[in-house]
Amino acid sequence: MNLDLFLHLSINMSFIALAAYLVGRSKFIIRCAENPSKLPHWLILSLIFSLLSAVGTYSGVPVKGTLANTRLVGIIMSGFMGGPIVGFITGVISACYRYSVGGFTAEICAVATVLGGIFAGLVRKKVGFHCLTWKTGAAVALISEIVQKGMVLTLAKPFEAAWAAERIIALPTTIVSILGAVIFMVIIENIRQEQALYAARAAELSLKIASRTLPYTRQGLNSESAAKTAQIIYELTETDAVAITDQEKVLAYIGLGDDHYKVGSPIGIQATLQALSTGKTVVQNALVVENDSAVKDRLKSGIVAPLSSHGKSIGAVKMFRTGENEISTVDIQIADGLANLLSVQFELAELDQQRNMREKAELRALQAQINPHFLFNTINIIMSFCRTDPATARSLLNHLAVLMQRRFAEQSDFITLANELEEINSYLEIVKRRFGSRLTVEIHLEKAALAVLVPTLSIQPLVENAIQHGLFPKVDQCVLAINISRKEKDVVICISDNGIGITADKMQQILAFSSDGIGLKNVNSRLKSIYGESYGLQIDSKAGEGTRVIVRIPCNEVVSRAV
């Protein structure tokens, strides 16, 4: 092997390595390579690799009427990066330049150049851009060199001249082409892995920030939650300043310039207004804080990522650095990922608020829901006892007063089970007068359970439902049983009746909590919201056999998730 020729061609590989590094570092070129079918993309790729191939030809070494060069490396990389179209266009441009250089193998090498670009492009199309490795590059380079040298030895005239030239250049050019393709692919792969590592670190940091800010962001976007969130972002990202805004004003500012930047002031940064209007992240590399000369000379670059809820911008998170052009790719990835996660949390907070408002409205509806017929019948019963049994009339009036007071008075979200049972007893005393001797009420309870806190109006609607829909339509003896006991860490409340039961079709609606009534639906929803999915109502019923509803309440639950 001609050592001088090999060393000369090897020097050309330094240019190939530099080109690989620059190509791999350019996010735009990588985007072009990932989607080369667009006209601007394949034009740019064709231009870049035509230039690389032309340099390989220009720096070649004349040997016995032909040219030893690294042209094929640029051709192969054009096919790998851009597919068959880019490989073909680059091959044609490079072939024209190679033909213009001259030599008795010019026409054959030109044709081989085009074939090499197409071949590499077809390999990329078959394998996939992200599955290309240095082994693929080495194999394609070897096959392309063998094809070119085979065509030269077969078609070039005179054969003796072709053979004499190939004896000198075949091995060095083949080795250099393989090494060049391997170096190019290794550098691209390493940069790709490095970028993936940066992305993974950015994602990990974004998740860590989102996890720590969750208790605050679930309160919604306000000054308090923004201040806590900004402080956490500032500590974990190690940026020079962090700000959070809503659509109109600054909600929080932490870091350099916090002595000049006033919370509550209107948004004064054009980049923030742009991010809010477009819904896209904006990077600014100079004079970030335009409205404060005391700060703008120190904060020279920043990134603004919009926060959104239900597709609309609701604010922005901003991170600043002191030097110009200091916003890195990792900063952008962190800001984008963090903004997306915070947006989800704020959206969930809004949904929580809407759900709580709906449940509170339903609870108020339950408190105000006194059946007019029940009230009318109760008054009639009391009137009938006024002369015949004044003591009973007074007792019923007292029970009715308890019901009215509990229904219309402002109550806390939780009361003791004893207080809930007091209202139930008042209701049942009035109901007994309507049923007469047909109704028997059986209450069995453990006194230790009476002090347990339960959600307001979580038991009484179940008792009322059993009376109105289970027992009242029944014509013979009616039995309502309320059993309260402690089992392990729960208080178990079972309300059963021997009423008319529930049909299978109606039961499906009730179990899906899609029936018209709000009583069962509201109680079930609140129990699950407060204690978890496993604490919903358990309902068992058959037509003609009665109904049983079971409620479980944790004894030691710290009541911090009020409805």
Side-chain angles (χ1 to χ4, degrees):
M1 182 176 70
N2 191 315
L3 185 59
D4 291 338
L5 177 60
F6 176 75
L7 292 176
H8 184 89
L9 295 175
S10 298
I11 293 174
N12 294 342
M13 285 195 298
S14 61
F15 182 79
I16 294 172
L18 176 62
Y21 180 81
L22 294 176
V23 167
R25 286 293 178 188
S26 172
K27 293 182 66 177
F28 175 72
I29 295 178
I30 293 299
R31 283 199 301 269
C32 291
E34 291 175 342
N35 188 15
S37 60
K38 293 184 177 180
L39 177 61
H41 290 183
W42 61 257
L43 284 176
I44 290 172
L45 292 174
S46 298
L47 178 63
I48 291 173
F49 289 103
S50 294
L51 178 61
L52 181 61
S53 180
V55 171
T57 301
Y58 179 79
S59 60
V61 180
V63 177
K64 293 186 177 298
T66 187
L67 193 67
N69 59 76
T70 58
R71 178 186 69 258
L72 271 179
V73 177
I75 299 300
I76 293 169
M77 291 305 106
S78 71
F80 280 173
M81 299 292 285
I85 295 178
V86 173
F88 173 74
I89 294 174
T90 304
V92 169
I93 296 174
S94 300
C96 293
Y97 180 66
R98 173 63 186 90
Y99 181 77
S100 68
V101 173
F104 74 98
T105 62
E107 296 89 344
I108 298 171
C109 289
V111 174
T113 298
V114 177
L115 293 177
I118 296 174
F119 174 55
L122 292 174
V123 170
R124 175 236 163 88
K125 187 175 182 180
K126 177 70 175 178
V127 176
F129 175 64
H130 291 285
C131 295
L132 294 172
T133 64
W134 66 267
K135 294 180 181 179
T136 312
V140 172
L142 177 61
I143 294 172
S144 298
E145 284 287 355
I146 291 175
V147 169
Q148 177 176 274
K149 293 174 181 1
M151 291 176 63
V152 169
L153 292 175
T154 303
L155 302 175
K157 303 299 181 181
F159 172 77
E160 291 77 11
W163 174 250
E166 290 298 333
R167 286 178 60 187
I168 299 173
I169 69 172
L171 188 57
T173 53
T174 301
I175 293 176
V176 169
S177 293
I178 293 173
L179 288 177
V182 169
I183 290 172
F184 196 101
M185 293 306 300
V186 167
I187 292 176
I188 293 292
E189 182 62 25
N190 286 342
I191 292 175
R192 190 187 300 164
Q193 291 177 355
E194 181 182 322
Q195 291 174 343
L197 181 60
Y198 287 153
R201 289 175 178 173
E204 181 182 5
L205 183 56
S206 298
L207 288 173
K208 186 176 181 179
I209 294 172
S211 176
R212 287 187 55 180
T213 58
L214 182 60
Y216 311 111
T217 54
R218 292 303 291 268
Q219 301 173 11
L221 182 59
N222 53 53
S223 297
E224 181 180 355
S225 63
K228 297 288 187 181
T229 301
Q231 183 66 45
I232 293 171
I233 296 173
Y234 177 72
E235 293 173 357
L236 295 182
T237 60
E238 298 181 351
T239 50
D240 297 308
V242 174
I244 295 179
T245 75
D246 58 16
Q247 292 176 297
E248 299 176 352
K249 61 183 181 299
V250 179
L251 296 178
Y253 187 95
I254 305 292
L256 182 64
D258 57 2
D259 53 337
H260 295 83
Y261 208 104
K262 295 182 179 180
V263 173
S265 61
I267 296 173
I269 301 177
Q270 187 60 36
T272 306
L273 299 175
Q274 181 182 346
L276 290 172
S277 62
T278 62
K280 296 180 180 179
T281 299
V282 177
V283 178
Q284 194 174 28
N285 290 313
L287 303 179
V288 176
V289 188
E290 300 99 334
N291 61 346
D292 195 331
S293 58
V295 180
K296 70 180 182 181
D297 292 334
R298 291 179 286 171
L299 296 177
K300 296 295 181 65
S301 57
I303 181 170
V304 183
L307 302 171
S308 63
S309 178
H310 303 289
K312 296 181 179 180
S313 296
I314 60 172
V317 57
K318 306 187 288 185
M319 298 188 298
F320 303 129
R321 294 197 181 276
T322 54
E324 291 188 3
N325 299 307
E326 281 195 0
I327 298 299
S328 65
T329 301
V330 177
D331 289 333
I332 297 174
Q333 291 172 339
I334 290 174
D336 284 338
L338 185 58
N340 289 333
L341 291 172
L342 292 179
S343 295
V344 171
Q345 291 178 359
F346 285 130
E347 190 167 317
L348 290 175
E350 184 179 340
L351 292 175
D352 282 345
Q353 291 173 356
Q354 292 175 355
R355 183 194 63 194
N356 290 340
M357 290 174 63
R358 183 181 67 250
E359 290 180 353
K360 283 181 178 293
E362 291 178 353
L363 181 59
R364 298 294 180 262
L366 280 176
Q367 291 174 328
Q369 181 179 288
I370 293 183
N371 192 307
H373 294 290
F374 170 79
L375 185 59
F376 178 76
N377 291 333
T378 301
I379 293 175
N380 279 339
I381 293 172
I382 293 174
M383 290 174 62
S384 68
F385 281 109
C386 283
R387 290 190 178 185
T388 59
D389 192 347
T392 300
R394 284 193 298 271
S395 176
L396 290 176
L397 277 173
N398 181 61
H399 291 309
L400 182 60
V402 170
L403 283 179
M404 298 288 287
Q405 181 185 18
R406 293 291 177 86
R407 292 296 177 93
F408 294 111
E410 286 291 333
Q411 298 186 27
S412 62
D413 294 322
F414 293 85
I415 61 173
T416 63
L417 186 57
N419 288 337
E420 182 86 349
L421 286 175
E422 183 180 351
E423 181 176 350
I424 292 172
N425 284 328
S426 295
Y427 171 77
L428 290 176
E429 286 299 321
I430 296 174
V431 167
K432 286 179 182 178
R433 300 300 175 178
R434 295 181 59 195
F435 275 81
S437 60
R438 287 195 306 118
L439 177 62
T440 300
V441 177
E442 300 174 355
I443 299 179
H444 305 280
L445 58 88
E446 296 181 11
K447 292 185 178 180
L450 294 177
V452 173
L453 290 175
V454 298
T456 301
L457 282 178
S458 57
I459 311 301
Q460 198 276 340
L462 307 181
V463 174
E464 188 171 337
N465 192 72
I467 293 292
Q468 295 292 334
H469 302 291
L471 296 176
F472 193 74
K474 188 176 181 179
V475 295
D476 52 356
Q477 189 65 29
C478 300
V479 178
L480 175 70
I482 301 175
N483 292 281
I484 302 174
S485 61
R486 295 191 60 165
K487 291 186 179 179
E488 298 179 352
K489 296 182 179 181
D490 294 339
V491 169
V492 180
I493 304 164
C494 179
I495 300 167
S496 59
D497 65 74
N498 67 339
I500 62 173
I502 304 172
T503 63
D505 293 340
K506 187 66 175 178
M507 190 65 183
Q508 288 183 351
Q509 293 182 7
I510 292 175
L511 291 176
F513 295 97
S514 59
S515 57
D516 296 334
I518 63 173
L520 291 177
K521 186 189 302 184
N522 178 274
V523 172
N524 182 71
S525 175
R526 286 190 292 135
L527 290 174
K528 287 186 175 183
S529 174
I530 297 169
Y531 304 116
E533 288 294 320
S534 61
Y535 282 92
L537 295 178
Q538 300 178 34
I539 305 175
D540 183 24
S541 180
K542 291 183 180 180
E545 298 182 13
T547 302
R548 182 177 62 178
V549 180
I550 298 176
V551 180
R552 291 187 303 118
I553 304 292
C555 297
N556 300 321
E557 179 74 13
V558 178
V559 183
S560 59
R561 291 175 288 176
V563 178

